[in-house]
Amino acid sequence: MQLLYFAWVRERIGMGGEEVSPPEAVETVADLVAWLSSRSDGHAAAFAKPARLRAAVDQAFVPLDTRIAGAREIAIFPPVTGG
Amino acid sequence: MQLLYFAWVRERIGMGGEEVSPPEAVETVADLVAWLSSRSDGHAAAFAKPARLRAAVDQAFVPLDTRIAGAREIAIFPPVTGG
Amino acid sequence: MIRILVTTDAIDIAAEQVSLEQGGAVATFTGLVRADDGVATLELEHYPGATEAALLRLAEQAVARWSLSAATIVHRVGPMHPGERIVFTGAASAHRAAALEACAFLIDRLKTDAPFWKREVVAGKGRWVEARESDDHAADRWR
Amino acid sequence: MIRILVTTDAIDIAAEQVSLEQGGAVATFTGLVRADDGVATLELEHYPGATEAALLRLAEQAVARWSLSAATIVHRVGPMHPGERIVFTGAASAHRAAALEACAFLIDRLKTDAPFWKREVVAGKGRWVEARESDDHAADRWR
């Protein structure tokens, strides 16, 4: 699945996105975030406080306990600050 | 005192205003309207339904029972419809 | 900054907007002449002097109540046609809620507190527009 | 008519206003970059595709809820400077209450429902703007 990162999540990880294939045990967005944290120091820094993260699955905002089976694009980012 | 008429009050009376000197018994705007009604058929038509009239004394909106002693300019008109 | 204008000219929205752009948030309202029931011409009569004073009082109240950085009221008078701008109100503030509320206040209260009268010309015949009770209710919510 | 635009160009208020002038009442909101705390540059990042979809959904909700004749949302992205326009929302309707409410709805909900992120540059150092709880409350009143 395609991952996208925005704002300080993107900055800390050091890239705008990546293609990943998480194991079956990774069932929700929260699971995904925990699993990604071990990939690099940047991932660990970006995902240290999951309460500060928001996510979109296939471009729709979702809570972090949303299941990710079948998702093609998952975006992880801080709370939005537009307008 | 100077009287001013607007909208259909002006049209029915046939003029935009006039200078009058009402007798002392004319104490309020309502008294003034009643006293003016006898001046012409146009005045009578304009002032036939006092509930449909509004007034300003020296350019401030006031209820019709407002006393007019000392007023320099009194305007009589329908409810406003701007905006 | 308060700006009050009663004019027979067309209302220049772009210029009014730019003059309001002080602070972080600008809210505006524009009323257009509608072509309801075949209205061909709308004529706006007003009470010169008293009109400007009433509009200034409204703008001053809004500036004080919402700590605005700018407030503008422009009202056209004389004859105009469907689609033309009849009124513009604008409020600028540091934050959006103040600008939005103040802009609504200005147009709601203008409807009941400023001496303007509308006359519609339909099929060559003029008729004075009746005041609406709903306008009194809209104005009352700010009291 | 719904118009959604996410752009790196300056926002042309006069053109947006004219395209909204359908029906009797037009309400608009414009957000400007503030120079709070010495901000020299504001950078707006967004989620291409998802942003436009989110704004379109908001505009469609507003049109349905208030029977609007037109709704517009324009949001600038990329680097910009104090005083420049960052966002514009507009609503047009037959009556003013609908236009005013819908315009407030659009900007309140845009703040929480559209994927934009602000980064301020102060004295050469960048910092991401924190989301505000007050924005969540403002958005909640429309739910």
Side-chain angles (χ1 to χ4, degrees):
Chain A
M1 65 185 49
Q2 178 66 43
L3 302 185
L4 295 175
Y5 307 130
F6 293 103
W8 52 253
V9 173
R10 172 182 56 71
E11 280 191 340
R12 289 182 191 173
I13 296 178
M15 56 186 160
E18 59 191 314
E19 182 80 28
V20 298
S21 299
E24 280 199 9
V26 172
E27 295 186 339
T28 66
V29 177
D31 293 344
L32 179 67
V33 164
W35 177 73
L36 289 165
S37 294
S38 63
R39 285 173 83 88
S40 77
D41 289 353
H43 286 80
F47 299 146
K49 292 181 180 169
R52 297 188 62 206
L53 298 172
R54 299 293 181 271
V57 170
D58 291 332
Q59 305 205 342
F61 286 25
V62 295
L64 294 196
D65 60 3
T66 301
R67 301 180 71 84
I68 61 173
R72 282 185 296 185
E73 179 178 296
I74 297 181
I76 304 171
F77 43 79
V80 301
T81 55
Chain B
M1 65 183 52
Q2 178 67 41
L3 302 185
L4 295 174
Y5 306 130
F6 293 102
W8 53 253
V9 173
R10 172 182 55 71
E11 280 190 342
R12 288 182 191 172
I13 295 177
M15 58 186 160
E18 59 192 312
E19 184 80 29
V20 297
S21 298
E24 280 198 11
V26 173
E27 296 187 339
T28 66
V29 177
D31 292 344
L32 178 68
V33 164
W35 177 72
L36 289 166
S37 294
S38 63
R39 285 174 84 88
S40 76
D41 289 350
H43 287 81
F47 299 145
K49 294 180 178 169
R52 297 188 63 207
L53 299 173
R54 300 292 180 272
V57 170
D58 291 331
Q59 304 205 343
F61 287 24
V62 295
L64 294 196
D65 61 2
T66 301
R67 301 180 72 84
I68 61 173
R72 281 186 296 187
E73 178 177 297
I74 297 181
I76 304 172
F77 44 79
V80 301
T81 55
Chain C
M1 196 200 70
I2 288 177
R3 175 170 155 77
I4 302 297
L5 179 65
V6 178
T7 175
T8 55
D9 293 338
I11 299 175
D12 182 346
I13 295 282
E16 297 305 340
Q17 169 81 26
V18 168
S19 87
L20 279 166
E21 290 189 348
Q22 309 168 34
V26 177
T28 76
F29 177 83
T30 306
L32 305 167
V33 180
R34 284 183 286 164
D36 290 359
D37 310 321
V39 170
T41 307
L42 187 70
E43 292 171 6
L44 254 288
E45 180 169 333
H46 75 122
Y47 180 174
T51 307
E52 290 82 351
L55 298 182
L56 180 59
R57 209 153 46 229
L58 275 189
E60 286 173 342
Q61 286 175 26
V63 166
R65 182 162 169 180
W66 284 280
S67 300
L68 303 180
S69 46
T72 297
I73 305 175
V74 182
H75 206 297
R76 193 160 162 197
V77 293
M80 58 201 89
H81 301 288
E84 291 191 293
R85 298 167 187 144
I86 180 170
V87 63
F88 172 91
T89 65
S93 175
H95 299 287
R96 74 182 182 286
L100 289 162
E101 283 184 28
C103 178
F105 166 90
L106 290 174
I107 185 63
D108 279 348
R109 289 284 300 273
L110 182 153
K111 293 254 174 191
T112 58
D113 290 15
F116 293 101
W117 298 273
K118 286 195 185 93
R119 185 170 172 273
E120 297 173 338
V121 180
V122 181
K125 282 194 60 176
R127 67 176 179 218
W128 293 95
V129 172
E130 292 280 329
R132 294 187 311 176
E133 220 176 298
S134 61
D135 286 336
D136 289 335
H137 296 152
D140 280 347
R141 81 184 163 110
W142 302 106
R143 290 179 208 280
Chain D
M1 197 202 67
I2 288 177
R3 176 172 153 77
I4 302 297
L5 180 63
V6 178
T7 176
T8 54
D9 293 339
I11 299 175
D12 181 346
I13 295 283
E16 298 305 340
Q17 169 80 27
V18 168
S19 87
L20 279 166
E21 291 189 346
Q22 309 168 34
V26 177
T28 76
F29 176 83
T30 306
L32 306 167
V33 180
R34 283 181 288 164
D36 289 359
D37 311 321
V39 171
T41 307
L42 186 71
E43 293 170 6
L44 253 289
E45 182 170 331
H46 76 121
Y47 180 174
T51 308
E52 291 82 350
L55 299 182
L56 179 60
R57 210 154 43 231
L58 275 189
E60 286 173 343
Q61 285 174 26
V63 166
R65 183 162 168 180
W66 284 280
S67 299
L68 302 181
S69 47
T72 297
I73 306 174
V74 182
H75 205 297
R76 193 161 161 197
V77 292
M80 59 200 87
H81 301 288
E84 292 191 292
R85 297 166 189 146
I86 180 169
V87 64
F88 173 89
T89 65
S93 174
H95 299 289
R96 74 183 182 286
L100 290 162
E101 284 185 27
C103 178
F105 165 90
L106 290 174
I107 185 62
D108 280 348
R109 289 284 301 274
L110 182 153
K111 293 257 176 188
T112 58
D113 291 16
F116 293 101
W117 298 273
K118 286 195 184 94
R119 185 170 172 271
E120 298 173 339
V121 181
V122 181
K125 282 193 60 177
R127 67 176 179 218
W128 292 95
V129 172
E130 293 279 330
R132 295 187 311 178
E133 222 176 297
S134 61
D135 286 336
D136 289 334
H137 296 151
D140 280 346
R141 80 184 164 110
W142 301 107
R143 291 179 207 278

